[in-house]
Amino acid sequence: MSNKPTIHDIAKALNIDSSTVSRALNNSPRVTLKTKTKILEKAQELGYKRNVLASNLRKNVTNTLGVIVPRISRYFFSSAIQGIEETAYLAGYNVIICQSLEQLEREQSIVNGLVEKRVDGMLISISMETLNYQHLDIVKNNGIPLVFFDRHCNVEGNSNVLIDDFKGGFDATEHLIFQGNKDIVHFSGPNELEIYKNRLAGYKAALKKHNLPFKKDNIIVTRLMEEDGFKSMQSILNKNDKVDAVFSANDMAAIGAIKCIKECQLKIPEDIAIVGFSNEPISTVIEPALSTIDQSGMQIGKTAAKLILSYIENKQIPETGETIVLKANLIERNSSKRN
Amino acid sequence: MSNKPTIHDIAKALNIDSSTVSRALNNSPRVTLKTKTKILEKAQELGYKRNVLASNLRKNVTNTLGVIVPRISRYFFSSAIQGIEETAYLAGYNVIICQSLEQLEREQSIVNGLVEKRVDGMLISISMETLNYQHLDIVKNNGIPLVFFDRHCNVEGNSNVLIDDFKGGFDATEHLIFQGNKDIVHFSGPNELEIYKNRLAGYKAALKKHNLPFKKDNIIVTRLMEEDGFKSMQSILNKNDKVDAVFSANDMAAIGAIKCIKECQLKIPEDIAIVGFSNEPISTVIEPALSTIDQSGMQIGKTAAKLILSYIENKQIPETGETIVLKANLIERNSSKRN
DNA sequence: CTGTTAGCGCGTTCAG
DNA sequence: CTGAACGCGCTAACAG
């Protein structure tokens, strides 16, 4: 069983040429139904398996999508990957998953590897360390379509699938304001990432709209870790500076903040109100008083996959790039008004 | 830029043979350092990228691992995938992720696809519908090493990486008994899956050890969905039949149960004690009073990947198969004794 | 140390 | 409708 049969074996067994076999196997209309069935039977009999490697080499395709995310196990990304995989599967594509672990160097080597593997398309959510996009030039230079998702790229000529971060930040902040909060701290993320810039901008805009002062000290930059949220919340509570509420732009910091609050035996939202960007299992399990800005990873994944598949099918990437913005919805976990 | 340069192009430009170029590019010791650097420079200049497809076809390898899980976004699996990816990356392997969505039919077609893609090894966590393993024969018949992880296979000759479910079930139940609970309900999972059988067996053994009666009605089979846990808990609370505690063999049902309890304004563990199999972000965020049997997906993933890589390197799969059992640890979230 | 030759297995000409 | 021949790009074997 170790010597795998090839189209030549089945051709020889039938006294025909391998090219006919090839045609039959590809269901070409230029082969008699009779010989076609004969060939298929023989193939079955010999346990023939098409060598996709050879086929791909010849056709110069791989039916494979490369996906790069910072970290697979973060729920947002795993659900995005789920969406990508499901969409890709339906189109007959496989998905190679790689994680940058937020490291630029690793991201670079992964990109090179995927280009070498000749993936048909690439989906990327860049690392926190990624400040420019030079290492991605190689992708386009090799004619491989590229779509950024979630952590997007504001350089002209690229395609993005993202959620409306500005509106999300705005809605979150306004929600807190409507609840009667005035002094609202914002847990931000790395400034280099567009998404955090935009959420911050939304926060500012909401304050402005409601004539609340913007205090620079109310912005706390986190590195997307639980402990950041925990420590930040700790120092807020220690100061007791009349902070009413927190809007966290990332779920990890929000979780840390909740934990800190619980450890202090405080109750949410009676003592402090929080709104955080988050995703399902976290937001469903997390202290229900936390309202969340839900960013559906599944939907982003599916949309991004569809986009890149369309580029692949059409064999062309739009020069200008295109950006698809999905809506993030505020999910109010506890409607009891405060104050 | 669309016509990609090959080793022949760079050979021609340098008036040498392509095989020398190939050797240089593979850093063979049988090429002068001088010509080697000359070649590398030229390669850089032309923007040469090795065609891995061709290379793989020739070498008959893909440096790719196929991974099949029921659902990527479930935290246990995404963390297992993370472990697999990290280990694979270090060894120079890529990982193709596929999800069965708990459907046997889909699992079958995925398996065939991965065999056709000539993955070098395959890791699988079977679907709930998978009652026998015939569709996996093709994997071995094609000489592809196969490792089951988490949802394992008790058929002789296969390799498994799993956690000690019996001990986990035993520990969870005993923990509840030590807390003073006598009437303990068990949320089980599909009986077809070995892991749930074993957890159930552990539950029974703990009862027996402590001379508590086993009541058949205390076993509730769930389908790994939140709503199962929710509804089951609901009926338990309605009956008010003096149930003291719940041991959930799956995290989804545990989450559902917690939600139900919260909705009823009950407090954990004052009103009811729960121990559930679970994983990190869920267990850290979930009501902290829930003790959990922690099954490290990362560790299972890493172990499984190492195992299959060793099979690939050694080019042989042990006839008898081997099973690696990892420990699941009870994490006590709240040590306040009840009763 | 380098060149020559011969495929890996398949798909696509171009004849007939 | 089918056969013959070639090539995708690379590597392995054998010469020299």
Side-chain angles (χ1 to χ4, degrees):
Chain A
M1 266 306 178
S2 82
N3 272 353
K4 293 156 193 164
T6 74
I7 49 172
H8 297 103
D9 296 324
I10 124 160
K12 223 171 280 174
L14 260 41
N15 253 329
I16 52 175
D17 195 83
S18 58
S19 56
T20 308
V21 177
S22 171
R23 280 189 278 259
L25 261 27
N26 286 307
N27 206 17
S28 159
R30 309 192 317 168
V31 184
T32 321
L33 187 64
K34 202 172 158 188
T35 55
K36 203 181 278 188
T37 52
K38 207 168 62 180
I39 287 169
L40 289 178
E41 273 169 15
K42 202 68 182 175
Q44 186 95 33
E45 179 192 329
L46 296 178
Y48 168 81
K49 282 264 140 195
R50 163 225 292 275
N51 187 329
V52 179
L53 259 62
S55 170
N56 285 350
L57 171 60
R58 191 62 236 263
K59 293 191 294 186
N60 203 31
V61 298
T62 52
N63 286 308
T64 302
L65 261 33
V67 179
I68 308 175
V69 295
R71 185 161 263 120
I72 294 167
S73 67
R74 284 202 56 195
Y75 185 73
F76 173 75
F77 291 118
S78 67
S79 56
I81 293 169
Q82 167 150 1
I84 293 167
E85 199 278 338
E86 286 182 17
T87 307
Y89 178 82
L90 293 177
Y93 281 73
N94 281 125
V95 174
I96 291 182
I97 305 292
C98 306
Q99 48 189 351
S100 64
L101 300 178
E102 304 285 9
Q103 295 159 23
L104 174 58
E105 194 184 331
R106 206 167 147 148
E107 186 171 287
Q108 286 170 324
S109 103
I110 289 169
V111 168
N112 284 319
L114 290 178
V115 171
E116 284 194 342
K117 274 228 166 168
R118 298 284 203 273
V119 293
D120 295 333
M122 209 135 109
L123 296 162
I124 186 167
S125 198
I126 57 175
S127 86
M128 270 167 40
E129 287 183 6
T130 303
L131 304 181
N132 65 56
Y133 305 93
Q134 289 166 14
H135 61 298
L136 296 173
D137 290 345
I138 188 180
V139 180
K140 282 187 200 163
N141 291 344
N142 281 282
I144 300 174
L146 174 65
V147 168
F148 293 79
F149 68 100
D150 187 50
R151 299 189 184 172
H152 49 282
C153 165
N154 63 354
V155 173
E156 190 69 21
N158 291 297
S159 290
N160 301 290
V161 174
L162 48 98
I163 57 170
D164 193 337
D165 292 300
F166 177 86
K167 185 168 182 306
F170 184 91
D171 288 350
T173 310
E174 194 167 47
H175 174 68
L176 290 168
I177 294 171
F178 284 151
Q179 283 188 315
N181 303 295
K182 293 198 192 311
D183 206 350
I184 301 170
V185 167
H186 176 47
F187 290 176
S188 184
N191 280 321
E192 298 78 26
L193 294 177
E194 286 294 311
I195 61 177
Y196 297 110
K197 283 189 208 167
N198 294 336
R199 290 171 192 180
L200 173 58
Y203 164 82
K204 285 183 183 173
L207 291 184
K208 193 168 185 182
K209 179 183 167 192
H210 293 276
N211 291 316
L212 292 173
F214 169 69
K215 301 180 192 169
K216 209 168 181 184
D217 287 349
N218 271 352
I219 307 300
I220 298 177
V221 176
T222 72
R223 292 157 305 153
L224 318 186
M225 310 290 278
E226 256 187 54
E227 56 172 298
D228 298 335
F230 192 97
K231 286 179 182 164
S232 303
M233 183 55 84
Q234 218 165 19
S235 70
I236 288 173
L237 295 176
N238 284 339
K239 276 197 298 188
N240 209 6
D241 248 8
K242 198 176 89 59
V243 164
D244 302 316
V246 172
F247 157 43
S248 175
N250 70 84
D251 47 7
M252 286 313 182
I255 291 172
I258 297 272
K259 280 192 184 176
C260 173
I261 284 176
K262 285 199 169 176
E263 215 163 81
C264 297
Q265 310 272 22
L266 300 182
K267 284 181 184 168
I268 316 172
E270 286 162 40
D271 300 297
I272 196 157
I274 298 187
V275 176
F277 269 79
S278 189
N279 304 284
E280 259 320 287
I282 289 170
S283 61
T284 55
V285 170
I286 216 165
E287 189 59 36
L290 174 76
S291 296
T292 55
I293 302 292
D294 185 58
Q295 27 175 357
S296 167
M298 272 283 274
Q299 208 197 333
I300 288 196
K302 285 188 177 178
T303 308
K306 275 178 201 159
L307 188 58
I308 201 138
L309 287 172
S310 79
Y311 293 163
I312 295 172
E313 302 284 308
N314 301 330
K315 290 182 183 182
Q316 60 165 336
I317 319 159
E319 272 298 321
T320 53
E322 54 188 311
T323 292
I324 299 177
V325 179
L326 304 176
K327 278 186 198 131
N329 298 312
L330 176 75
I331 299 177
E332 205 167 334
R333 293 288 169 189
N334 188 322
S335 54
S336 71
K337 300 287 178 220
R338 304 176 64 234
N339 203 340
Chain B
M1 265 305 176
S2 80
N3 273 351
K4 293 158 192 164
T6 74
I7 50 172
H8 297 105
D9 297 324
I10 125 161
K12 225 170 276 174
L14 259 42
N15 251 327
I16 53 178
D17 193 84
S18 59
S19 57
T20 307
V21 177
S22 171
R23 280 189 279 258
L25 261 27
N26 286 307
N27 206 17
S28 158
R30 310 191 317 169
V31 185
T32 323
L33 188 64
K34 203 172 157 187
T35 55
K36 201 181 280 186
T37 53
K38 209 168 58 180
I39 288 169
L40 289 178
E41 275 169 13
K42 201 69 183 177
Q44 186 96 33
E45 180 192 328
L46 296 178
Y48 169 81
K49 280 268 140 194
R50 160 230 292 273
N51 187 326
V52 179
L53 260 61
S55 171
N56 285 350
L57 171 60
R58 190 61 238 258
K59 292 192 297 188
N60 201 32
V61 297
T62 52
N63 287 308
T64 302
L65 260 34
V67 179
I68 308 174
V69 295
R71 184 161 265 122
I72 293 166
S73 66
R74 285 202 55 196
Y75 185 73
F76 173 76
F77 291 118
S78 67
S79 57
I81 293 170
Q82 167 150 0
I84 292 168
E85 199 278 339
E86 286 183 18
T87 305
Y89 178 82
L90 293 177
Y93 281 74
N94 281 126
V95 174
I96 292 182
I97 305 292
C98 306
Q99 46 190 352
S100 64
L101 300 178
E102 306 285 10
Q103 295 157 24
L104 174 59
E105 193 183 331
R106 204 165 149 152
E107 187 172 285
Q108 287 170 324
S109 103
I110 290 169
V111 166
N112 284 319
L114 290 178
V115 169
E116 283 195 345
K117 275 228 164 167
R118 299 285 204 270
V119 294
D120 294 334
M122 209 136 111
L123 297 162
I124 187 167
S125 200
I126 55 173
S127 86
M128 270 168 36
E129 287 183 6
T130 303
L131 303 180
N132 65 58
Y133 306 94
Q134 288 167 13
H135 60 300
L136 296 173
D137 290 346
I138 189 180
V139 180
K140 282 187 198 161
N141 292 343
N142 283 76
I144 300 174
L146 172 66
V147 168
F148 293 80
F149 69 100
D150 188 49
R151 299 189 184 173
H152 49 286
C153 165
N154 64 354
V155 174
E156 192 67 22
N158 291 296
S159 290
N160 301 289
V161 174
L162 48 100
I163 57 169
D164 192 337
D165 292 299
F166 177 87
K167 188 169 178 309
F170 185 90
D171 289 350
T173 310
E174 193 167 47
H175 175 67
L176 290 168
I177 295 173
F178 284 151
Q179 283 187 317
N181 303 295
K182 293 199 194 309
D183 207 352
I184 302 168
V185 166
H186 175 48
F187 289 176
S188 184
N191 281 320
E192 298 76 29
L193 293 177
E194 285 293 309
I195 60 178
Y196 297 109
K197 282 189 209 167
N198 294 336
R199 290 172 191 179
L200 172 59
Y203 164 82
K204 285 183 184 173
L207 290 185
K208 194 168 183 182
K209 179 184 167 192
H210 292 277
N211 292 316
L212 292 173
F214 169 70
K215 301 181 193 168
K216 209 167 181 184
D217 286 350
N218 273 350
I219 307 300
I220 299 178
V221 176
T222 73
R223 290 156 307 155
L224 318 186
M225 310 291 277
E226 258 188 52
E227 57 171 300
D228 298 335
F230 192 97
K231 285 181 183 166
S232 303
M233 183 56 85
Q234 218 165 19
S235 69
I236 287 174
L237 295 175
N238 284 338
K239 276 196 299 184
N240 209 7
D241 249 8
K242 197 175 88 57
V243 165
D244 304 316
V246 171
F247 157 44
S248 175
N250 71 84
D251 47 8
M252 285 313 181
I255 290 172
I258 297 273
K259 281 193 181 173
C260 173
I261 284 176
K262 285 197 169 175
E263 218 163 78
C264 297
Q265 311 270 22
L266 299 182
K267 284 181 185 168
I268 316 171
E270 285 160 42
D271 300 298
I272 195 155
I274 298 188
V275 176
F277 269 78
S278 188
N279 304 286
E280 256 323 288
I282 290 171
S283 60
T284 56
V285 169
I286 216 166
E287 189 61 36
L290 175 75
S291 296
T292 55
I293 301 293
D294 184 59
Q295 28 175 357
S296 167
M298 271 284 270
Q299 208 197 332
I300 288 196
K302 285 190 176 177
T303 308
K306 275 179 201 159
L307 189 59
I308 202 139
L309 287 173
S310 80
Y311 292 164
I312 295 171
E313 302 284 308
N314 301 330
K315 291 182 184 179
Q316 59 165 334
I317 319 158
E319 272 298 321
T320 53
E322 56 189 309
T323 292
I324 299 178
V325 179
L326 304 176
K327 278 186 198 130
N329 297 312
L330 176 75
I331 298 178
E332 206 168 332
R333 294 285 169 193
N334 186 321
S335 55
S336 73
K337 300 289 177 222
R338 305 175 64 234
N339 200 341

